[in-house]
Amino acid sequence: MVSTLRPGDTIGILGGGQLGRMIAQAASRMGLKCHIYCPDEISPAFEVSATKTIAAYDDEQALTEFAENVSVVTYEFENVPGETARILEQLVPVRPGPHALKVSQDRLIEKTFLSQEAATQVAPFIKVDTQAELETALAELGGQGVLKTRRFGYDGKGQIMIRTPEDAENAMEQLNNQPAILEGIVPFEKEISVIVARSLDGTVKCYDPSDNYHKNQILKTSTVPADIPEGTAQQAVDMATRIATALGYIGVMGVELFVVKTDGNTELVVNEIAPRVHNSGHWTEDACPVSQFEQHVRAIAGWPLGSPARGYNVIMENLIGDDVNTWASTLLEPNAHLTLYGKGQAREGRKMGHVNRLSPLC
Amino acid sequence: MVSTLRPGDTIGILGGGQLGRMIAQAASRMGLKCHIYCPDEISPAFEVSATKTIAAYDDEQALTEFAENVSVVTYEFENVPGETARILEQLVPVRPGPHALKVSQDRLIEKTFLSQEAATQVAPFIKVDTQAELETALAELGGQGVLKTRRFGYDGKGQIMIRTPEDAENAMEQLNNQPAILEGIVPFEKEISVIVARSLDGTVKCYDPSDNYHKNQILKTSTVPADIPEGTAQQAVDMATRIATALGYIGVMGVELFVVKTDGNTELVVNEIAPRVHNSGHWTEDACPVSQFEQHVRAIAGWPLGSPARGYNVIMENLIGDDVNTWASTLLEPNAHLTLYGKGQAREGRKMGHVNRLSPLC
């Protein structure tokens, strides 16, 4: 196994969605090849790479052949099965490492890591495996909270908001009695995120925080700079840096934080981390010379990180479902820059592309 | 035949080199697919696209199948055989059109077009088919000139500089008696170029002119803004606009001009045009939100052109042959942005990649 790639080497990417596609596009700009591994025959990332494997994530033979033909493996989604990662890491470096996967795949492990090892503030949380444990936990948190499955939650899925005793009835049954946690409700003003990168030699670089606005629990816009005090922005960057460092992370990670105002003070609470390039970092593709995708490639290739400096202020808008039908009018906007993911059908809730609207740095 | 593409449609690209590769990368960002047609089994553009045809440019069956599977055809090199273009254009729009190919493939037709139809200044030129005609032409131009084959010249190939009677001896034989022209020597101060784009509806947009510096007759650097008076820059843009309009051009074109100082006046003389994305426009990829590659794709797709505005000042440096070995140190420069073409061997004179070094707009 080599730890550092050279131009012409091949990056293996688990997952063929838009994130894998954009990683592959950035890799090719720097003369690296990509090999996409995805079970879905029609995958956006297949279109931008000469090499692909269509196979299940538990297909040991396909994984072995894949690993033998690439110099490093990365992934575009955090729910890579542990067994998949274990098979691969015996043959090839897997970056970000399996530790990052383990931590981010389980909300209980994640919150414990964030509060203890990374010394960052999180919402109060209690392990809940049964309806009885939920009742006890609710009593402890003042009768309210958000019940979340420990695994496989995203875009608001696998979550139940509990504000009244009625909300709690049968709540565990609604989640199919999956292992869960109850989190205290954070009275947040808004959500921001930091895209942080850490290289093989431990250097950490952060992009400026973004203000994130969600619609139907899916990210709709990210605005940079975020409308927060300078000290808060620095605090967010410091927290993201501590998290990446404590994880021994290699690559780009998204860190979502709640901005909470209490008694005139602004505080930050870490919501969750995503061990991959992140939707709230898509603005970097047009507003920065080095995008989050290039930064991720540099990190997992064992190369030095680039500058995360911005050249513009920017608002990123996700094109979800039918939003994509605005593509033609967007092309007419002088300061808008359109990215489409090459997906066929504009199903409801499906991320089809995004637009970055640029403006001068004040 | 449709004249306007939709996301998900496929662009056919003749030529699999770095220009085709960068066109394909830009197309994929906007949700368009690409199909690369190239006779060379190992081609840089193959790596960034799912679909390719490996066949000769005179393989009528392969060309027909290619044309039937794409919505528009473009090319990365001006020496597309006329017969190839004729076969394709019967089945699918070819952009820029065959007229642009015909004009740019033959220096005699090109210079005649530039001086007469586009009303731009060019060096004096005389058609030369024999050594005897060369002697007559030399007498007319004061005994000096540049003898150039009418076809297939690039990077200084197919040219002989004639300053003395000895230089002229056997000159036509050295060029294998190919049809040629003798051009008057232009006492130019330097070369600049303009990257101009024209859309299906006739809209023209130009990027800022660049100062171009050549080494061993191959472009080494392009610097933007060019160090020329504002009036000269505007004149260059006006000339490029006239040329694109007179050609009825669709797509991006490179227009090379000589800057000549006579009696304190600055004059521009058109050197040549290239009906394709151009090496001296590679700076746009990092210094502009809309690169020349995206602009070309927009134009040939029948989409509106993007803004050619710059966000940075920039120096583009070509990495030629062994220059590419600087890749690792370039990655350490905070304001440098590296592009590599994925070519294997760094042969002498081979374009391996380029670096854009950005600085703030004054």
Side-chain angles (χ1 to χ4, degrees), chain B residues 15-165:
Chain B
Q18 67 267 18
L19 300 181
R21 178 180 167 105
M22 291 186 277
I23 293 169
Q25 287 167 323
S28 68
R29 268 209 63 183
M30 292 189 286
L32 293 159
K33 298 186 174 76
C34 287
H35 183 145
I36 315 291
Y37 189 111
C38 188
D40 307 318
E41 268 186 55
I42 297 176
S43 292
F46 287 165
E47 289 297 328
V48 301
S49 181
T51 318
K52 64 182 171 189
T53 297
I54 303 172
Y57 290 122
D58 61 0
D59 182 334
E60 192 162 343
Q61 194 188 332
L63 287 169
T64 302
E65 277 172 33
F66 171 67
E68 284 169 353
N69 284 290
V70 302
S71 296
V72 65
V73 166
T74 191
Y75 38 86
E76 62 150 17
F77 63 113
E78 56 269 46
N79 288 320
V80 173
E83 184 57 21
T84 305
R86 268 187 295 278
I87 293 169
L88 293 171
E89 68 177 323
Q90 287 164 21
L91 300 164
V92 68
V94 175
R95 294 176 185 156
H99 181 50
L101 281 178
K102 188 179 154 236
V103 167
S104 62
Q105 283 179 357
D106 186 314
R107 290 187 198 280
L108 181 64
I109 300 175
E110 181 185 42
K111 299 279 171 177
T112 306
F113 163 81
L114 287 170
S115 55
Q116 295 178 7
E117 291 176 60
T120 56
Q121 197 176 338
V122 297
F125 62 98
I126 300 171
K127 179 171 176 287
V128 170
D129 286 332
T130 62
Q131 186 70 25
E133 284 182 9
L134 173 58
E135 304 296 342
T136 312
L138 275 169
E140 201 167 325
L141 293 184
Q144 298 196 331
V146 190
L147 182 67
K148 299 180 176 179
T149 58
R150 283 171 55 178
R151 298 176 67 89
F152 301 115
Y154 70 97
D155 287 350
K157 292 182 175 64
Q159 300 194 8
I160 294 173
M161 171 68 74
I162 299 175
R163 292 192 187 274
T164 67

Side-chain angles (χ1 to χ4, degrees), chain A residues 51-65:
Chain A
T51 318
K52 65 182 171 189
T53 297
I54 303 171
Y57 290 122
D58 62 0
D59 182 333
E60 193 163 342
Q61 195 188 330
L63 287 169
T64 302
E65 276 171 33

Side-chain angles (χ1 to χ4, degrees), chain A residues 65-122:
Chain A
E65 276 171 33
F66 171 67
E68 285 170 351
N69 284 290
V70 302
S71 295
V72 66
V73 167
T74 191
Y75 38 87
E76 62 150 16
F77 64 114
E78 57 269 45
N79 288 322
V80 174
E83 184 57 21
T84 305
R86 268 187 295 277
I87 292 169
L88 293 171
E89 68 178 321
Q90 287 165 20
L91 299 164
V92 67
V94 176
R95 294 173 184 158
H99 181 51
L101 282 177
K102 189 178 154 238
V103 167
S104 61
Q105 283 178 358
D106 185 315
R107 290 189 198 279
L108 181 64
I109 300 175
E110 180 185 42
K111 299 277 171 177
T112 307
F113 161 81
L114 287 170
S115 55
Q116 294 178 7
E117 291 175 60
T120 55
Q121 197 176 340
V122 296

Side-chain angles (χ1 to χ4, degrees), chain B residues 246-321:
Chain B
L247 269 178
Y249 195 83
I250 301 169
V252 158
M253 175 168 55
V255 177
E256 297 175 7
L257 307 107
F258 292 132
V259 179
V260 185
K261 286 208 171 148
T262 43
D263 307 329
N265 290 325
T266 300
E267 283 188 8
L268 291 174
V269 173
V270 180
N271 178 30
E272 61 178 36
I273 59 176
R276 51 172 168 79
V277 291
H278 196 254
N279 195 166
S280 73
H282 290 359
W283 61 270
T284 60
E285 203 172 5
D286 294 303
C288 304
V290 177
S291 74
Q292 68 164 340
F293 305 104
E294 173 172 338
Q295 196 74 299
H296 184 70
V297 170
R298 284 172 174 246
I300 63 169
W303 293 358
L305 299 180
S307 163
R310 261 186 311 123
Y312 303 91
N313 293 336
V314 56
I315 301 175
M316 187 285 300
E317 180 192 357
N318 264 345
L319 302 179
I320 298 164

